[in-house]
Amino acid sequence: MRSVLIANPKGGSGKSTLATNLAGYFAASGKKVMLGDVDRQQTALHWLGQRDAGLPSISGWEVEPNEPKRPPKGTEVVVLDSAAGLRGKKLSALLSQVGHVIVPIQPSPFDMWASEDFFEQMLEEKTIRKNKAFMAVVGMRVDPRTRSARELEQFLARHDVPVLTWLRDTQLYVQAAGAGMSLFDLQASRTARDREAWQPILRWLGEDPQAWCDK
């Protein structure tokens, strides 16, 4: 079973956008997906409640961060959307359940300041140190032409964490979210550029996404 935690201590960093679209990709590729929500706001599960029954199925799972449990039998992929401020024992408990951690971060000083200590804490976690789980970063709402994007790139270069890709600021994510959809539920002709940006994430998770980009 593949398991991915989306984590960042700051609210509004793009965790739910990343989690719901990742779950949407795996569902569209035919896998049995469980979308777990550790956030009190239950954003990911609200998104799931808007999802049309005719779309590829994703199951919802409300997770207590201090009470690790196994997902339902037959689950092939688990995507966990975590709460802001996740730290300490709750973070360690969630890390014990996953194989990959993706940290979304936006090109703003507030996001970079909030992430500094988080990166240090994560790299000290036993699960990460012993390579039982692997961590990487995804830049969210990034325009690479801007000064803020260059500052974010310089900031991330100072940390021993791989940067997978930059996802641009586009209304496609907003429009899809309102209907309980992901980028991978929309027509490929509308999303080709953005699907291309997702390829490094999917390859890092062991997927071969080229077929989806070609549809």
Side-chain angles (χ1 to χ4, degrees):
M1 184 185 67
R2 194 168 303 167
S3 50
V4 187
L5 172 65
I6 311 299
N8 186 305
K10 184 179 177 299
S13 61
K15 291 187 293 292
S16 295
T17 295
L18 202 53
T20 53
N21 279 274
L22 188 59
Y25 164 79
F26 282 116
S29 65
K31 293 184 172 59
K32 188 172 182 180
V33 183
M34 185 69 61
L35 178 60
D37 202 328
V38 196
D39 192 343
R40 287 183 181 180
Q41 295 182 14
Q42 300 290 286
T43 305
L45 293 187
H46 284 312
W47 171 83
L48 199 54
Q50 302 299 312
R51 193 168 175 80
D52 189 276
L55 294 170
S57 177
I58 300 172
S59 299
W61 186 32
E62 187 173 348
V63 182
E64 292 293 333
N66 56 345
E67 297 179 8
K69 64 179 85 171
R70 294 191 63 79
K73 187 176 181 181
T75 302
E76 295 176 274
V77 180
V78 172
V79 179
L80 296 178
D81 183 15
S82 68
L86 182 64
R87 295 181 182 280
K89 292 182 179 180
K90 290 184 178 181
L91 174 60
S92 297
L94 283 174
L95 287 175
S96 70
Q97 301 180 66
V98 302
H100 294 82
V101 182
I102 299 177
V103 182
I105 181 170
Q106 295 190 49
S108 81
F110 301 107
D111 284 71
M112 288 185 274
W113 294 335
S115 300
E116 189 94 44
D117 291 341
F118 184 68
F119 285 145
E120 292 180 7
Q121 180 187 355
M122 287 290 288
L123 293 171
E124 291 176 359
E125 286 283 341
K126 183 178 179 181
T127 306
I128 300 293
R129 285 191 291 105
K130 295 200 170 185
N131 293 327
K132 293 182 178 180
F134 300 90
M135 178 173 65
V137 169
V138 170
M140 303 293 291
R141 301 174 185 168
V142 176
D143 182 344
R145 299 168 297 179
T146 63
R147 177 180 176 180
S148 59
R150 292 192 295 273
E151 291 174 346
L152 176 58
E153 188 173 14
Q154 292 168 2
F155 167 78
L156 293 173
R158 298 198 303 267
H159 297 81
D160 190 21
V161 182
V163 181
L164 299 178
T165 191
W166 309 101
L167 301 183
R168 71 187 181 112
D169 188 7
T170 169
Q171 284 297 302
L172 283 175
Y173 291 109
V174 178
Q175 294 164 8
M181 300 173 74
S182 75
L183 191 72
F184 302 96
D185 297 311
L186 301 176
Q187 291 181 340
S189 58
R190 296 179 60 197
T191 60
R193 177 181 175 184
D194 298 289
R195 291 189 187 205
E196 184 74 25
W198 272 80
Q199 285 200 40
I201 302 173
L202 302 173
R203 283 196 295 267
W204 185 69
L205 294 172
E207 288 289 296
D208 181 9
Q210 187 59 48
W212 277 106
C213 293
D214 292 341
K215 282 188 177 183

